[in-house]
Amino acid sequence: MLRRRLAPLLGALFFGTALVLLHRELRSFHYRDILLILRELPGDRLLLALGCTAAAYLATTGYDTRAVRWLGRPVSYPRTAFAAFASTAVSNTLGMPLLTGMPLRARLYTGWGLSAVDIGRLVLFGFVTFWLGFSTLAGAAFLSDPIALPARLGLPVATVRPLGLLFAALVAAYLALVLFLRRPLVLQGIETRLPSFPVALGQIAVSSLDWAFAGAVLYSLLPPSWDLPFLHFLAVFLFAQVAGLVSNVP
C-alpha cells in the first residue's frame, strides 16, 4: 500500500529532476544559434545524420528486447522499445544514467509486472551488452587502424593497439565464460545465469550497431574537406569515449 502511494511521488520527483538537469544543460544554447548551424549544413549530410540517429535508437531497443527474452518475461516489443528509447534518450541528453535513465526504466518495468530482481538483472544485462559492443568495435578498430597517441598525454604506449588487444581479450573472455561456466553468478547480491552463446552473440551485434551508428552520426556532419576514412574516424571516436570515461570529462 505504501509503495503504491509513493510511486506517483517518486515518478514526479524523477521527472522534476530530469527537467532541472535538462535546463542546466541547455541554458547556454539559444534556438536561433541552433537553427543557424543547421542551415549551414548540407541537406544530404543532415538527412544522413538523422537517419543514423534513428538507426542507433532502433538498435538500442534490442538491449531490452533481448534482456526480457533472456529473463523469460512476457513483455511485448512495443513496451521494451519504448522503455529502451525513453531511458536512452534521457540518459544521453542529461547524463548520469543512474539518476535518470535507470529509474525511468525501473518505473516502467515495475508497472509491467517485473520484480525488483528482474529489473536488476535486466539493467545488468543491458550494461554488459553496452560494453560488449564497445569492446568489440574498439578492439577491431584499434587493431585495424592503430592511431598514434599524442606524447603530451604521457601514456606508456604510442598507439591504441594495446588497448585494442585488451578489448578483444575482454570479449573473448566473456564468450569463454558463456561457453564453459555453468553455475550462476552472484553480482551485487543478485544471482544470475549467463546467457547462451547465441544470446551473447546477439548482445555483441546489437551494441556494436548502436556504437557504429552513433559514430556515423558525427562522421556524417564532418566538413566535406575532412577526407577521413570511416574506420579511422571510428577509432578516434571510440578512443575519445575511453578518454572521457577515464578523465570524467565529456
Side-chain angles (χ1 to χ4, degrees), residues 142 147-164 167 238-240 242-244 246-247:
F142 293 171
I147 58 175
L149 297 176
R152 63 177 177 273
L153 293 179
L155 297 176
V157 293
T159 72
V160 295
R161 189 185 297 275
L163 282 176
F167 287 128
L238 294 173
F239 178 74
V242 176
V246 172
S247 64

Side-chain angles (χ1 to χ4, degrees), residues 10-23 94 96 99-100:
L10 290 175
L13 176 62
F14 287 134
F15 182 71
T17 302
L19 288 179
V20 172
L21 292 173
L22 182 61
H23 174 71
L94 305 178
M96 296 179 291
L99 298 177
T100 55

Side-chain angles (χ1 to χ4, degrees), residues 67-242:
V68 296
R69 289 179 182 174
W70 169 67
L71 288 170
R73 296 293 181 262
V75 183
S76 65
Y77 175 73
R79 286 183 169 180
T80 58
F82 175 74
F85 174 80
S87 58
T88 302
V90 170
S91 295
N92 287 350
T93 302
L94 305 178
M96 296 179 291
L98 292 177
L99 298 177
T100 55
M102 194 169 75
L104 176 59
R105 184 180 263 114
R107 180 70 183 89
L108 290 171
Y109 281 110
T110 298
W112 296 333
L114 268 66
S115 66
V117 173
D118 285 337
I119 294 171
R121 289 171 177 161
L122 182 143
V123 170
L124 179 62
F125 184 93
F127 177 82
V128 172
T129 301
F130 182 83
W131 288 111
L132 267 178
F134 177 89
S135 298
T136 301
L137 213 57
F142 293 171
L143 292 175
S144 301
D145 190 353
I147 58 175
L149 297 176
R152 63 177 177 273
L153 293 179
L155 297 176
V157 293
T159 72
V160 295
R161 189 185 297 275
L163 282 176
L165 291 172
L166 173 62
F167 287 128
L170 290 174
V171 176
Y174 178 77
L175 293 177
L177 283 175
V178 166
L179 281 172
F180 301 113
L181 187 65
R182 296 290 179 258
R183 66 177 184 273
L185 295 176
V186 180
L187 299 173
Q188 298 296 321
I190 299 176
E191 182 178 299
T192 186
R193 56 182 173 80
L194 288 172
S196 64
F197 189 72
V199 172
L201 292 180
Q203 288 179 278
I204 292 173
V206 164
S207 184
S208 296
L209 285 173
D210 176 23
W211 279 104
F213 280 121
V217 174
L218 184 57
Y219 181 75
S220 63
L221 296 177
L222 291 178
S225 58
W226 289 30
D227 188 18
L228 287 177
F230 179 68
L231 184 62
H232 182 80
F233 170 83
L234 189 62
V236 175
F237 172 75
L238 294 173
F239 178 74
Q241 305 301 315
V242 176

Side-chain angles (χ1 to χ4, degrees), residues 22-91:
L22 182 61
H23 174 71
R24 290 180 179 177
E25 289 291 328
L26 300 180
R27 62 185 174 184
S28 60
F29 295 93
H30 196 281
Y31 77 94
R32 292 176 182 171
D33 298 328
I34 297 174
L35 290 177
L36 182 61
I37 293 173
L38 292 177
R39 286 172 184 168
E40 293 177 350
L41 292 173
D44 57 340
R45 288 182 172 268
L46 183 58
L47 288 176
L48 180 60
L50 291 173
C52 290
T53 301
Y57 274 107
L58 181 62
T60 62
T61 66
Y63 287 59
D64 289 38
T65 301
R66 300 199 69 83
V68 296
R69 289 179 182 174
W70 169 67
L71 288 170
R73 296 293 181 262
V75 183
S76 65
Y77 175 73
R79 286 183 169 180
T80 58
F82 175 74
F85 174 80
S87 58
T88 302
V90 170
S91 295

